[in-house]
């Protein structure tokens, strides 16, 4: 299988720059070549808004890599919002509409490795009352994205793998 390192697609890994476009370019290149492994390399934190996995693509986080969801709601792509991907069938009024890692009608998709995926849910917390969190924003808990939203997918794998 071909390997697509997100650094080669422009990812900075500085924990401040939104690397979603670089990750998406690596996924798209892998998908266009009938599949491969998209590498999130160790030793860095990759801040990202939403991106979409595609058929025959494995997202592999090396041990020591962190994929960090953005705390900025504007970093979540409108075309990858849950109500759009599901034609409004999945989202109810009380569920978030944003998602970090998305796959829609994809097959043979995998998320593997020993790295960390941090959904950064606390970025959307307004108050910590000790026994409960009060979410920030007018719509409160609706603002916090799902970490993963995989809709209509087949043959999914979520496991540790050593390359």
């Amino acid at each position: 299988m071909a390997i697509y390192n997100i650094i080669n697609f422009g990812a900075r890994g500085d924990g401040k720059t939104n690397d979603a476009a670089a990750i998406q370019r690596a996924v798209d290149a892998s998908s266009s070549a009938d599949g491969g492994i998209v590498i999130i390399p160790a030793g860095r934190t990759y801040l990202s808004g939403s991106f979409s996995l595609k058929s025959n693509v494995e997202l592999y986080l090396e041990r020591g890599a962190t994929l960090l969801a953005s705390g900025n709601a504007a970093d979540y792509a409108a075309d990858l919002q849950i109500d759009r991907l599901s034609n409004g069938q999945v989202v109810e009024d009380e569920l978030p509409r944003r998602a970090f890692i998305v796959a829609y009608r994809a097959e043979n998709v995998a998320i593997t490795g020993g790295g960390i995926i941090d959904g950064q849910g606390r970025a959307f917390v307004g108050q910590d009352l000790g026994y409960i969190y009060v979410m920030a924003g007018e719509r409160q808990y609706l603002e916090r994205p799902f970490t993963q939203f995989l809709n209509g997918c087949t043959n999914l794998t979520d496991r540790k793998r050593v390359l």
Side-chain angles (χ1 to χ4, degrees):
M1 265 191 159
I3 293 180
Y4 301 84
N5 186 319
I6 64 169
I7 296 294
N8 298 333
F9 291 86
R12 306 263 321 254
D14 61 10
K16 295 176 184 167
T17 303
N18 184 348
D19 288 323
I23 296 168
Q24 192 64 62
R25 284 191 294 271
V27 168
D28 292 347
S30 176
S31 178
S32 293
D34 293 324
I37 301 171
V38 173
I39 301 286
I40 309 293
R44 297 183 186 182
T45 296
Y46 303 89
L47 179 73
S48 178
S50 55
F51 63 91
S52 181
L53 295 176
K54 297 184 177 179
S55 292
N56 304 311
V57 173
E58 176 179 343
L59 181 68
Y60 178 78
L61 286 90
E62 291 183 339
R63 187 172 309 283
T66 299
L67 183 57
L68 180 65
S70 174
N72 182 353
D75 288 340
Y76 294 86
D79 61 334
L80 297 180
Q81 288 186 5
I82 295 166
D83 51 346
R84 292 192 184 185
L85 292 175
S86 67
N87 279 338
Q89 298 298 312
V90 173
V91 177
E92 300 173 15
D93 288 338
E94 61 274 353
L95 294 176
R97 285 174 169 64
R98 295 181 182 95
F100 178 36
I101 302 171
V102 173
Y104 180 65
R105 293 186 178 166
E107 55 187 32
N108 307 318
V109 173
I111 300 173
T112 64
I116 295 169
I117 297 175
D118 182 346
Q120 201 173 187
R122 294 229 177 170
F124 296 91
V125 171
Q127 284 183 294
D128 180 353
L129 301 179
Y131 61 93
I132 194 168
Y133 295 122
V134 176
M135 304 309 283
E138 240 177 76
R139 297 175 34 190
Q140 295 185 5
Y141 62 91
L142 296 174
E143 302 297 324
R144 181 178 182 232
F146 286 106
T147 302
Q148 297 175 17
F149 184 74
L150 312 174
N151 184 13
C153 298
T154 57
N155 197 20
L156 299 170
T157 303
D158 185 6
R159 62 184 159 83
K160 290 192 176 188
R161 170 184 168 130
V162 178
L163 290 182

